[in-house]
Amino acid sequence: MEEVYVEDKDFQNVNFSEHPLANGDYENCLFENCIFSNSDLSGINFSECTFNGCDFSLANITKTAFRNVQFKTCKLLGLHFEDCNEFMLSIDFENCQLDLVSFYNRQLKNTNFKDCSLQEVDFAEADLTNAVFQNCDLKGAKFESSNLEKTDFRTAFNYSIDPDTNRISKAKFSMPGVVGLLDKYDIEID
C-alpha cells in the first residue's frame, strides 16, 4: 500500500473509523472533531499535529509516531501508548479523558497534562521527569518503579504514590494531596 505525505492540512468532522486515514506522514496538520475510535493507526507518523475534540477510544496505535503532538479536549480511552513508536515521542494533553490508558515504560519527560481525567492509567516504569499534572484526576493511577523526579503534582488529586517504589526526588506536592503518599500505611489523617 502506498504511503502519503500530508503537510499543513486541516481535517474537520471526518469519521476515520468509517473512512480510514491513509498510512504515511502527517506534518503540521490540524484534526478537529474527528473520530478515530477503533481505528487502525499503526505505523502512521504524526509530527507537529494538533488534535482538537477528537475521539481515539480503543484505536490501535502500534508503532504510531507522535512527535510534538497536542491533544485538546480529546477522548483517548484505553489507548496503549506503550505500543507506539517511542522515537522522539513528545505529547501534551489538555482537557482530555485518558482513563484506562497505558503509558507503561514510556519516556514522558516534560509532558504536560492539564485538566485531564487519568483514572486507572498505568504509569508503571514510565519516566515522568519534569512532567506536570495540572488539575488532573489520578484516581487508581498506577505508579510503580516510575521516575517522578521534579514532577509537579501540586494541583493533581486522588493519586496514590508509594515513595519507596518510585523515584520522587524534588517532586512537587501540596496539601491535602500529599496524603496520597501515605496511603500504603492505612492510617487516618485529620
Side-chain angles (χ1 to χ4, degrees):
M1 183 177 201
E2 189 174 316
E3 292 195 358
V4 299
Y5 176 76
V6 180
E7 186 177 18
D8 300 323
K9 184 171 181 183
D10 290 357
F11 297 87
Q12 295 186 1
N13 303 309
V14 181
N15 186 340
F16 292 109
S17 297
E18 294 176 359
H19 308 286
L21 187 66
N23 281 344
D25 296 309
Y26 294 83
E27 189 171 329
N28 200 36
C29 293
L30 173 65
F31 295 85
E32 281 195 288
N33 301 314
C34 294
I35 298 173
F36 295 93
S37 60
N38 295 301
S39 295
D40 185 0
L41 302 174
S42 57
I44 295 176
N45 298 314
F46 297 104
S47 299
E48 308 283 333
C49 292
T50 300
F51 295 94
N52 220 343
C54 297
D55 183 356
F56 282 86
S57 298
L58 300 174
N60 179 359
I61 57 170
T62 302
K63 299 199 183 309
T64 304
F66 296 103
R67 298 182 181 117
N68 200 17
V69 170
Q70 295 183 355
F71 294 94
K72 297 179 180 179
T73 317
C74 290
K75 190 175 180 181
L76 302 118
L77 301 176
L79 288 189
H80 290 272
F81 281 95
E82 81 271 15
D83 295 333
C84 75
N85 184 335
E86 63 185 312
F87 180 70
M88 293 179 61
L89 175 65
S90 176
I91 45 183
D92 284 313
F93 303 93
E94 183 177 337
N95 198 31
C96 291
Q97 190 173 5
L98 291 146
D99 300 340
L100 303 169
V101 166
S102 177
F103 290 107
Y104 173 77
N105 198 27
R106 288 294 92 174
Q107 294 290 319
L108 299 168
K109 292 180 180 179
N110 304 307
T111 300
N112 290 304
F113 297 91
K114 182 179 179 186
D115 300 318
C116 294
S117 177
L118 294 150
Q119 295 185 20
E120 305 292 329
V121 171
D122 185 358
F123 287 112
E125 299 184 30
D127 186 347
L128 289 154
T129 304
N130 280 321
V132 176
F133 290 94
Q134 183 179 339
N135 196 35
C136 291
D137 185 355
L138 292 162
K139 183 177 184 182
K142 179 181 177 182
F143 295 96
E144 188 175 292
S145 300
S146 307
N147 186 346
L148 307 174
E149 293 177 344
K150 300 180 184 175
T151 301
D152 190 341
F153 290 99
R154 288 180 292 182
T155 58
F157 51 95
N158 293 329
Y159 55 83
S160 178
I161 299 169
D162 184 347
D164 293 333
T165 62
N166 295 284
R167 295 167 58 188
I168 64 167
S169 177
K170 303 213 187 291
K172 297 173 185 147
F173 300 93
S174 64
M175 290 299 287
V178 76
V179 172
L181 298 174
L182 303 172
D183 283 348
K184 77 174 194 172
Y185 299 112
D186 196 27
I187 58 176
E188 291 183 30
I189 300 170
D190 290 328

